[in-house]
Amino acid sequence: MSRWSPDSLLITLYPSRVVSARIESGWRTRVTDKRIVETADRDAAAGGEAQPADRSVAWQGTVAALDQLLAGLKPQGMPATVVVANRF
């Protein structure tokens, strides 16, 4: 992929999931690939269970899901934007 490629990657980190979208810009901007990986502590993040007492480790499930998502992507040389949810 050329460094001048119009493609970019948008990654959004939520407590319950990680979402990525490959965006192709040009005459018409469009999403060419979208992936969602649920976190291991999805129920706790949704309020189904009590939150852990130590909130400093609440992000670890999201980081593990991000690792899983990036393993399946080939974003070499592609600019990326990461958005982090307020809950973090």
Side-chain angles (χ1 to χ4, degrees):
M1 175 176 295
S2 167
R3 66 183 236 186
W4 303 109
S5 174
D7 290 351
S8 63
L9 186 63
L10 175 63
I11 299 172
T12 308
L13 306 175
Y14 299 101
S16 60
R17 72 184 56 87
V18 176
V19 180
S20 75
R22 186 179 298 241
I23 301 170
E24 180 183 279
S25 55
W27 292 104
R28 289 187 176 174
T29 301
R30 65 186 183 118
V31 175
T32 58
D33 183 38
K34 182 178 177 183
R35 297 175 189 216
I36 300 172
V37 176
E38 302 290 338
T39 62
D41 55 347
R42 182 179 66 160
D43 293 333
E49 299 174 9
Q51 294 288 334
D54 185 6
R55 288 189 139 311
S56 66
V57 298
W59 52 268
Q60 290 179 344
T62 301
V63 171
L66 177 62
D67 285 341
Q68 180 182 351
L69 183 126
L70 291 176
L73 293 175
K74 304 278 188 208
Q76 298 142 342
M78 184 181 300
T81 301
V82 179
V83 179
V84 180
N86 278 350
R87 291 194 174 200
F88 291 117

